[in-house]
Amino acid sequence: MSELTINQIIKLIIGSLVVVAVVVGLYFAFKRNVFDFFNGIDNQTGIKIFLYLFN
């Protein structure tokens, strides 16, 4: 198994921070739209949508 050098560790940390920043940014950008979309759906319709997506 190869050893991790300082440069590889720094690249892993920066890459992880970039991924976290993108996920958090997407969450804040779309949270209102997603919550409003699913807010008006009753249980039966929600189950039908869920089954349709995974069928």
Side-chain angles (χ1 to χ4, degrees):
M1 199 159 133
S2 64
E3 294 182 19
L4 290 176
T5 63
I6 298 296
N7 288 337
Q8 289 173 330
I9 292 172
I10 292 172
K11 288 178 185 177
L12 282 171
I13 292 171
I14 292 173
S16 300
L17 291 175
V18 167
V19 169
V20 168
V22 168
V23 169
V24 170
L26 288 173
Y27 170 76
F28 282 121
F30 293 109
K31 74 176 182 179
R32 180 167 299 183
N33 295 337
V34 172
F35 290 148
D36 286 343
F37 176 74
F38 287 110
N39 196 17
I41 296 177
D42 61 345
N43 287 339
Q44 291 295 345
T45 308
I47 292 171
K48 288 179 184 177
I49 291 173
F50 181 76
L51 292 175
Y52 177 76
L53 289 174
F54 292 103
N55 193 354

